[in-house]
Amino acid sequence: MNAWGSLGRGLALVLAAASMLLPGCRGAPARPDVVLVTLDTTRADHLGAYGYARGTTPHLDRLAGEGVVYRRAWSTASWTLPAHASIFTGKHPTSHGAVFDATGGAATLGEVLPGKIYRRIKANRLGEAETTLAELLREAGYETGAFVGGPWMSPEFGLLQGYAHQDADVRTLGGRPADRLTDRAIDWLRAQPRERPVHLLVNYFDPHRPYHPPPGYDDLPHARTPMTVKDLEVFRGKPITARQRAALVDRYDGEIRFMDHHLGRLLEALRELGRWEDALVVVVADHGESFGEHNLMEHARWLYEEVLRVPLIVRFPGGRDAGRVREDPVSVVDLLPLVAREVGLALPEGVEGRPVGERELVVAESFRDALAIRILGPRFDRDLVSGIRWPWKLIVSDRGKAELYRLDRDPGERVDLADGEAERALLAELERARSGFRPPARAAAPEAVSPETRERLRELGYIE
Ligand SMILES: [Zn+2]
């Protein structure tokens, strides 16, 4: 956020605060606490609230009963950095600019990381000029604290601007699963003065590869099947075997159950601290995960439903609309407007999110990066853009043929229906929407990335 933006917004906030004070005149603006939980790498269809039958998410399912479940929610991207940037800014990847950048330019990871491979990972950090949810809330008087589990969430990449307290010690990121992350978040919550509203961010990272559910959570039938590096070679686009899939999914589900257990503790702490009743709690994934669908593993460079469709559960203050299920299409860019409306804040300029119920087209984007070409071959040497207007979903590549699916009849995106009127109409709509996106004037270079962050990114396979 720059000074001029800050000044204008300050005025808007004063006006918004004044308007909030009028109705009840209770003396202080009753702003609800805002708790945002991002479930890294968590597919919507692996939650009980979304129809999964394995019983691995009792706490998320209970939250769903106390809140609103958005059954048709999509991310704007299929990997952590751009997806979180969209959640935090209300903008699409093109507009916030925190994306892979294979075209060179001023800002790349390769400029700050030594070694040949780093020059091939070109991702821009979220620029300081962007206004984030945490900045908005902090300016409105919130105590802001972030507790993150994933390396792309490190302060170097710009996502944590606005959080006065940043618990993102990269030296412990890989070794800091949901239990310790939750302990630290609860400790912070306990230390906050009750009279100040808090904005808490927790980014749970457990379901992300490597899938190693802790003891007590590794009891699904195939969770202990030994996995070799070769088993993960399906990442390179080979078909997956039933044995591989069962082993991977059982481990993944174990990680989700572990995360769910500790999320339950976090929500319980809010109740104990008397912060539950009026709290706004938003739980969303940044993206999902592929387990062999379309011969793909993991995530990041494609836009099929298994990576793009995300769970979204919102528990409104006072339990308003508890148990409601909404079918309206929602993009993660709509979360900033949702929170701003709920707490009575004006939106920053340039926000592309819409109130739920007003969105007709969902847009997602994926930009080429050199590592994808090396890992996946020419299949993903391309930028991809997707437009979803229920029930139609179009995936357009800047090279080669578009793909069109009917999600109501073909949720697995198996039958490509491109080459018809529906494709042309949706393509025109998608181009119209994207013509309104405004890239940031200048993408900022990442600040120095610590050796520990670099090591974590290497372990996770993002860099070598
Ligand atoms: Zn992620």
Side-chain angles (χ1 to χ4, degrees), residues 39-42 78-81 83-84 152-153 203 205 208 286-288 299 462:
L39 313 174
D40 220 291
T41 320
T42 303
S78 50
W79 66 288
T80 308
L81 179 63
H84 276 87
W152 287 107
M153 303 293 292
N203 161 243
F205 196 64
H208 194 286
D286 58 347
H287 53 81
H299 60 268
Y462 286 109

Side-chain angles (χ1 to χ4, degrees), residues 35-376:
V35 178
L36 172 60
V37 177
T38 62
L39 313 174
D40 220 291
T41 320
T42 303
R43 293 169 60 133
D45 60 1
H46 280 239
L47 268 59
Y50 287 77
Y52 205 45
R54 298 188 99 175
T56 43
T57 55
H59 298 283
L60 282 160
D61 301 344
R62 180 182 170 194
L63 180 69
E66 295 174 294
V68 178
V69 175
Y70 298 85
R71 289 188 57 81
R72 290 180 191 154
W74 288 268
S75 189
T76 57
S78 50
W79 66 288
T80 308
L81 179 63
H84 276 87
S86 285
I87 294 169
F88 295 162
T89 65
K91 294 181 178 182
H92 291 87
T94 287
S95 302
H96 64 56
V99 295
F100 285 134
D101 180 357
T103 62
T108 71
L109 251 190
E111 290 177 358
V112 294
L113 293 179
K116 196 169 65 174
I117 192 71
Y118 302 119
R119 289 199 292 275
R120 301 174 73 169
I121 307 297
K122 298 182 175 180
N124 302 326
R125 81 190 292 270
L126 183 66
E128 282 300 326
E130 300 300 327
T131 300
T132 63
L133 173 65
E135 287 177 318
L136 275 182
L137 295 174
R138 189 177 178 182
E139 202 171 322
Y142 278 72
E143 300 284 354
T144 55
F147 298 79
V148 303
W152 287 107
M153 303 293 292
S154 297
E156 290 92 334
F157 299 104
L159 292 173
L160 297 187
Q161 47 193 281
Y163 289 100
H165 181 86
Q166 300 183 359
D167 193 319
D169 186 350
V170 78
R171 282 170 296 185
T172 59
L173 276 181
R176 190 166 62 164
D179 50 358
R180 272 180 279 167
L181 201 60
T182 302
D183 287 345
R184 296 175 72 94
I186 292 174
D187 285 349
W188 180 81
L189 272 175
R190 287 193 198 289
Q192 301 314 307
R194 185 60 194 88
E195 61 278 10
R196 290 279 298 275
V198 299
H199 168 44
L200 169 68
L201 166 72
V202 180
N203 161 243
Y204 286 118
F205 196 64
D206 307 75
H208 194 286
R209 187 174 76 90
Y211 320 113
H212 292 311
Y217 296 85
D218 59 351
D219 52 356
L220 287 167
H222 305 283
R224 292 177 196 165
T225 302
M227 297 295 298
T228 65
V229 173
K230 212 171 164 47
D231 288 320
L232 285 168
E233 292 235 324
V234 286
F235 186 71
R236 295 167 193 268
K238 297 174 190 167
I240 188 171
T241 66
R243 187 194 72 84
Q244 285 170 325
R245 186 180 158 83
L248 292 164
V249 168
D250 283 8
R251 287 164 174 243
Y252 174 74
D253 284 345
E255 295 273 27
I256 290 178
R257 186 154 69 85
F258 178 69
M259 172 178 72
D260 178 84
H261 173 77
H262 292 286
L263 172 64
R265 285 202 306 123
L266 181 73
L267 301 181
E268 196 51 44
L270 289 170
R271 294 179 211 271
E272 278 171 24
L273 293 168
R275 288 188 175 275
W276 174 256
E277 184 51 28
D278 297 325
L280 173 66
V281 180
V282 178
V283 178
V284 66
D286 58 347
H287 53 81
E289 187 81 321
S290 296
F291 288 102
E293 299 89 348
H294 305 97
N295 288 343
L296 293 164
M297 273 298 297
E298 303 184 31
H299 60 268
R301 295 160 185 105
W302 47 92
L303 298 175
Y304 295 115
E305 290 293 273
E306 54 270 18
V307 292
L308 213 55
R309 197 79 169 261
V310 289
L312 170 61
I313 301 169
V314 180
R315 190 271 177 190
F316 288 96
R320 198 176 76 236
D321 292 340
R324 189 170 171 198
V325 174
R326 292 195 69 160
E327 305 276 335
D328 314 72
V330 185
S331 162
V332 295
V333 296
D334 302 331
L335 295 178
L336 178 64
L338 184 148
V339 175
R341 170 181 279 196
E342 202 60 38
V343 305
L345 297 179
L347 283 181
E349 219 173 291
V351 167
E352 293 159 355
R354 309 285 301 271
V356 174
E358 291 183 15
R359 174 171 297 284
E360 294 185 336
L361 182 74
V362 172
V363 179
E365 301 176 309
S366 170
F367 299 102
R368 62 160 60 78
D369 71 297
L371 189 65
I373 299 166
R374 201 172 65 81
I375 295 175
L376 295 163

